Amino acid sequence: MVRRAQPERTCVGCRQRAPASELLRIVAVSDEAGHSLRPDPLRRLPGRGANMHPDPACFALAVRRRAFGRALRITEVLDHGVLAEHVDAPTTTSGQPDRARVASRVGRPT
């Protein structure tokens, strides 16, 4: 059995490397008000993408560090309302890791 290497990406929030399958791809979509961030869980939307753990802690770090604009190479202010709703939504299919693992990854006690 041949084992293939999975592509790795870096989370824009916590800056940890992880397999691309564990990260949520995010793209900037242009609309009449500027650019807004959209989740791309199927990894099919066109354009440059940023990757992030589907976790509110990583999302908060990325917003605080203004990492989305740098990763997506956009200088204007980005609307992240839709992305915040997607990350905060407690669904079983979102792939959210357990809280203990997230706390250890971000460096916070549980």
Side-chain angles (χ1 to χ4, degrees):
M1 180 161 132
V2 176
R3 205 165 183 191
R4 291 187 176 184
Q6 290 185 336
E8 284 193 343
R9 303 287 183 260
T10 301
C11 174
V12 295
C14 66
R15 305 291 299 154
Q16 297 291 317
R17 293 190 58 82
S21 60
E22 293 180 12
L23 299 174
L24 175 66
R25 183 173 185 260
I26 299 151
V27 295
V29 177
S30 172
D31 55 15
E32 65 277 349
H35 285 88
S36 61
L37 298 175
R38 300 296 164 118
D40 184 17
L42 298 178
R43 302 173 110 34
R44 299 285 185 258
L45 292 176
R48 185 169 192 77
N51 293 280
M52 179 186 76
H53 288 103
D55 178 65
C58 288
F59 175 72
L61 283 170
V63 170
R64 188 178 76 209
R65 292 177 51 243
R66 297 182 182 128
F68 291 116
R70 281 192 306 276
L72 298 170
R73 296 182 182 171
I74 296 176
T75 56
E76 65 187 60
V77 176
L78 299 169
D79 176 26
H80 51 76
V82 174
L83 181 60
E85 290 175 9
H86 180 80
V87 171
D88 288 336
T91 62
T92 58
T93 60
S94 68
Q96 290 186 356
D98 65 329
R99 298 288 177 213
R101 198 172 80 181
V102 169
S104 68
R105 183 176 53 230
V106 183
R108 297 184 182 149
T110 55

